[in-house]
Amino acid sequence: MRTIHTGGRTLRIAAISLDLDDTLWPIAPTIERAEARLHAWLEAHFPAVAQAYPVAAMRALRERIWLENPELQHDFTATRLMSLRVAMLPFGALEADVQVAFELFFEARNDVTLFPGALASLQSLAAHWPVVALTNGNADLSRIGLEHYFHARIDARSFGAAKPDRGIFHAACNAAATAPEHTLHIGDHAHQDVYGALNAGMYAAWITAPNSEWPKMSEPQMSAWPKLNGGQLLGDAPHLRAASLSELCASLLA
C-alpha cells in the first residue's frame, strides 16, 4: 500500500482499476478505422451489403440494435454480431460469413494507438500496484499486447453489467484482493468512471482530456461538483484529476 497526499487529503492505495478506451488510447479513430476495414471487405465479398449499408448506415444499424436490446447494452460483441446478421443474412450470407466479418472488425478494433506516454505510465503503475483492467468495452488486451501489465481484467460483457454498476467495481477490487476504500479507479468518463467508483466506495481519478465528454474543469467548476450528467447525479468530486494518464501517474509517483 502506498500513501498519497493530495489536495489536503491522504489516500492509501493498495490497488488500481483502470479504464481502457479513451484512457489508454482514443477509441473513436480506432472504431472508424475498423468500420472502414469492414466496409472494404464487404465491398469485395458482399457488394450488395456494402451498397445497402455504407459505413454511416452500418453504424446507425448497430446503434439501433443497441437501443432496441437493453438487455444487451453491456455487451458490444453481441450487439455488433447482431447488427452484422441483420445486414448480411438477407443478402445470402451465412453465419460463417458473419463470423468472418466480425473477426475482421474485431482485429481492427484492437489495432489501437496508445496516447503519448500511456505505455510508460502503465508500466510504472503496474510496477507499484496490482492493476485491474475495468472496461465496458470489448478490447482484447492479449491482441493489443498489454495483458502482462494487468493483474486481472473485468469487462461488462463477462460480468453481466456495465459501469457505473457498483458490482462491477467491487469485482475489480475482489480481483485485486483489496477493499474498495483502498482501491483507486482511473477513467475518463465522468458518470461511468468517476461516479461509479465513488458510489462503490473507491477513490476516483478523472482523466479529463483529450477525449473526456466534458472539457477540463476549472477550480470554481470543481468546487461546484456535484453536477448533473444526462439527469444523473455525479456525486462527490473525484479525488484526483489530470489531463492524461501520464500526468496522473507523475502525480501519484511524485
Side-chain angles (χ1 to χ4, degrees), residues 2-249:
R2 292 176 64 90
T3 300
I4 309 296
H5 301 284
T6 177
R9 291 183 287 190
T10 299
L11 315 183
R12 294 180 173 85
I13 303 172
I16 286 175
S17 60
L18 181 66
D19 176 55
L20 300 178
D21 294 329
D22 282 337
T23 297
L24 282 177
W25 54 75
I27 190 58
T30 304
I31 295 299
E32 288 171 4
R33 288 194 301 270
E35 290 173 336
R37 291 185 196 178
L38 172 62
H39 185 71
W41 182 85
L42 289 171
E43 284 183 318
H45 298 276
F46 293 93
V49 178
Q51 184 175 7
Y53 292 96
V55 170
M58 185 69 81
R59 186 182 303 131
L61 173 62
R62 193 208 64 81
E63 291 173 354
R64 177 171 65 81
I65 295 292
W66 186 83
L67 288 171
E68 291 176 351
N69 294 273
E71 75 282 3
L72 294 177
Q73 288 182 359
H74 64 282
D75 190 341
F76 290 115
T77 295
T79 53
R80 179 71 62 180
L81 279 166
M82 189 178 295
S83 66
L84 287 171
R85 291 187 184 104
V86 170
M88 296 175 64
L89 296 183
F91 290 92
L94 304 175
E95 177 63 24
D97 300 316
V98 171
Q99 295 297 327
V100 170
F102 175 78
E103 174 58 28
L104 182 141
F105 174 87
F106 193 59
E107 186 68 25
R109 182 260 183 271
N110 286 290
D111 183 12
V112 301
T113 301
L114 273 66
F115 288 123
L119 178 57
S121 299
L122 176 59
Q123 291 169 335
S124 295
L125 293 175
H128 290 87
W129 291 282
V131 180
V132 176
L134 181 57
T135 178
N136 282 355
N138 57 357
D140 187 331
L141 290 170
S142 62
R143 295 191 192 214
I144 295 170
L146 299 177
E147 186 177 33
H148 55 290
Y149 294 115
F150 290 90
H151 184 77
R153 178 183 186 275
I154 306 293
D155 64 84
R157 182 179 190 228
S158 299
F159 181 74
K163 296 179 294 182
D165 183 87
R166 182 183 297 154
I168 196 170
F169 285 93
H170 288 169
C173 296
N174 291 338
T178 57
E181 61 267 26
H182 294 307
T183 307
L184 172 67
H185 177 69
I186 303 170
D188 73 288
H189 198 285
H191 187 67
Q192 294 174 5
D193 291 305
V194 176
Y195 166 77
L198 294 171
N199 190 49
M202 299 164 64
Y203 299 126
W206 186 28
I207 306 299
T208 60
N211 286 295
S212 170
E213 78 280 13
W214 287 355
K216 189 172 183 178
M217 298 174 75
S218 65
E219 290 297 337
Q221 287 174 312
M222 284 298 297
S223 66
W225 193 295
K227 292 183 174 293
L228 291 174
N229 181 29
Q232 300 184 71
L233 191 65
L234 288 172
D236 295 332
H239 296 83
L240 298 161
R241 76 185 191 281
S244 67
L245 185 63
S246 298
E247 181 182 299
L248 177 67
C249 184

